[in-house]
Amino acid sequence: MKKDGRIGQRLLLFSLAALIPPMTAFPAQFGTQLARFSAIGLLYELVFYGIVVYAFQRRGGLLQLVPAAAACLAYRLALGLALGLMMTIAYGLDFKISAMMGAVSYLPGVLFLTALTPFIMMPVAALFYRNFDRPRPQPVKEPEVTAAAPKEGRTSIAISLERGVVDKKPAPRPIPETPKTAAVESAPSAATSEVDGFERAVRYLGEHGSVYMAAIVDHEGLTLANFVRGEANAEEWAPLALLFFRQNEEVLGRGNLESPEKLDLVLKEKRIKVAREGNLSLMVVSERHADDVLGIRVNQALEMVKKHMSERYSHMLDPNAERIHVSSTQ
C-alpha cells in the first residue's frame, strides 16, 4: 500500500509538471495545424506506448503489454482533458472545444504529452507485470530431488539422503516381535523427513521468479536436492559448483589469500551464485538482472541448510558425540 501511495504521489507531481509547457505555449501552433479526431492516430499512439514499455520491461507477453499500453493512452487523454480545462479557465473558451483541443486537436500539446506519457507511467505499467514475476507452480518430481544411487566412498549423510528416495519398493511387512525389523520399517520415513530440509531450501529459492535452477551439492559434486524451472538441467550444473571454488582457490592461493565462501558470477544473460556451508555447496542460476531480494533469499537458504545439518546430522558431524554421551550418563 505504501508503494502504491508513492506511485500515486509521483504520478500527480509529474502530471502537473507536464501540463506547464503546453499551457505556457498555447495558442502558438509552431507551424502545425489543428488536427481532427482519428482512430488510426490513437492506434499509432497505442503502438508507440507498447514499444516503449516493452523496451524497458523486456519480459511478459501481450497479456501484460496491451493493458499497460492502454493505461498509458487513457492517462494521456486524461492529461489532454486537464489541459483543456486549464485553457477554459485561462482563456474563457468553451469547455467542449478546449477539451477536444487538449486531447486531440492542439498538436504541440498532444505530441509533447504523448512523448512524456510512457516515461511518467512506467511505474504504473510495471504493476501489470507483478503476476508475471510470481513463480509458477512446478510439478514435484521425486527422482530429481536427489542424485543417483550411492557409490563407494560417499559420506553417510549423502547415503542416508539417497535411501529416502531410491528405496521406493515397499519394505517387507515387519514382525511385531522383532525390534530390528520394526527399525527397518521406520527408516524410510525418517530419511524422507531428512530430505525435506534440503528440498525446502531449494524450493524457497525457486519461489523467486528469476531463478532457473537451485541445487545443493555435496563434496563430490553430486546433487542432494534441486529446483529446476524451464529447460535447466541440475545434473549438468551441479559439478560446476566445485569447479568454480577449486579454480578460485588456486588463483587466491598464489596471493596467500584464504578460500572464498561465496561467488557471484555475472554473465551476459545469466547470473550464478555459489556459496558454501560445511562440505556442501549451494548453487543458484538466475536471470542476469535479478534483484537484491535473491541475494537475501540465498543467505536465508544457507541458514536453512545449516539448521537442517545441525538438527539432523550433529551426531554424524561430531565423531566424539557418542563417547561424550556415554561418559555423561556414567
Side-chain angles (χ1 to χ4, degrees):
M1 295 298 294
K2 292 182 178 180
K3 181 178 180 180
D4 294 341
R6 289 195 299 268
I7 293 176
Q9 294 175 359
R10 176 183 175 184
L11 189 64
L12 179 61
L13 178 62
F14 282 105
S15 299
L16 295 175
L19 290 173
I20 294 176
M23 186 60 195
T24 304
F26 184 83
Q29 293 291 314
F30 300 101
T32 63
Q33 300 294 328
L34 293 178
R36 297 180 180 180
F37 174 79
S38 173
I40 297 179
L42 293 181
L43 180 61
Y44 287 152
E45 188 175 344
L46 186 67
V47 172
F48 168 71
Y49 296 145
I51 292 174
V52 176
V53 171
Y54 179 77
F56 279 85
Q57 297 298 330
R58 290 191 176 277
R59 52 181 175 161
L62 292 178
L63 292 178
Q64 292 81 26
L65 185 60
V66 172
C72 292
L73 179 60
Y75 169 76
R76 208 279 301 163
L77 293 176
L79 280 184
L81 295 178
L83 179 60
L85 179 61
M86 295 175 65
M87 292 177 185
T88 299
I89 296 174
Y91 297 97
L93 300 175
D94 182 73
F95 177 71
K96 292 183 179 180
I97 298 176
S98 60
M100 181 60 67
M101 292 181 64
V104 178
S105 301
Y106 182 54
L107 285 181
V110 171
L111 295 178
F112 179 78
L113 295 179
T114 300
L116 289 183
T117 291
F119 302 99
I120 297 177
M121 287 287 290
M122 195 58 65
V124 179
L127 298 179
F128 291 94
Y129 289 83
R130 287 188 298 187
N131 292 332
F132 178 78
D133 291 335
R134 293 176 183 173
R136 302 178 180 87
Q138 298 291 325
V140 180
K141 298 180 180 179
E142 291 294 338
E144 294 182 1
V145 174
T146 57
K151 61 181 182 179
E152 185 178 358
R154 297 288 304 282
T155 60
S156 59
I157 298 176
I159 294 175
S160 63
L161 287 173
E162 292 174 353
R163 287 175 178 172
V165 178
V166 175
D167 297 341
K168 294 299 181 180
K169 297 182 180 180
R173 186 173 183 178
I175 302 175
E177 294 78 10
T178 307
K180 182 177 180 181
T181 308
V184 173
E185 180 190 13
S186 62
S189 60
T192 303
S193 64
E194 292 170 0
V195 174
D196 291 342
F198 294 139
E199 182 181 354
R200 192 182 309 114
V202 295
R203 288 185 180 180
Y204 175 71
L205 290 169
E207 292 176 359
H208 196 281
S210 66
V211 173
Y212 296 128
M213 189 279 299
I216 298 176
V217 186
D218 68 0
H219 69 286
E220 294 184 352
L222 297 177
T223 306
L224 302 182
N226 68 75
F227 173 90
V228 176
R229 175 180 284 113
E231 299 179 356
N233 190 330
E235 299 300 330
E236 294 180 357
W237 280 100
L240 298 180
L242 301 182
L243 182 60
F244 286 144
F245 275 116
R246 188 177 301 117
Q247 295 296 331
N248 282 272
E249 287 175 355
E250 293 179 1
V251 175
L252 294 175
R254 298 175 183 177
N256 295 325
L257 300 175
E258 57 186 5
S259 301
E261 296 182 355
K262 294 181 181 179
L263 299 176
D264 192 350
L265 307 177
V266 180
L267 308 181
K268 184 177 181 180
E269 297 181 354
K270 293 183 177 62
R271 188 169 186 173
I272 303 173
K273 292 179 178 289
V274 190
R276 277 180 173 176
E277 180 56 47
N279 291 331
L280 304 181
S281 299
L282 176 62
M283 186 176 188
V284 181
V285 181
S286 66
E287 296 178 356
R288 172 189 170 91
H289 300 290
D291 53 26
D292 296 335
V293 177
L294 179 57
I296 298 175
R297 283 182 175 264
V298 171
N299 293 333
Q300 292 175 343
L302 283 174
E303 290 297 326
M304 296 169 66
V305 172
K306 182 178 180 180
K307 181 179 179 181
H308 179 69
M309 294 287 293
S310 62
E311 290 178 352
R312 298 291 183 179
Y313 307 114
S314 58
H315 64 287
M316 296 182 182
L317 299 177
D318 186 1
N320 298 322
E322 183 178 356
R323 180 176 55 81
I324 295 173
H325 175 70
V326 173
S327 300
S328 61
T329 55
Q330 293 177 353

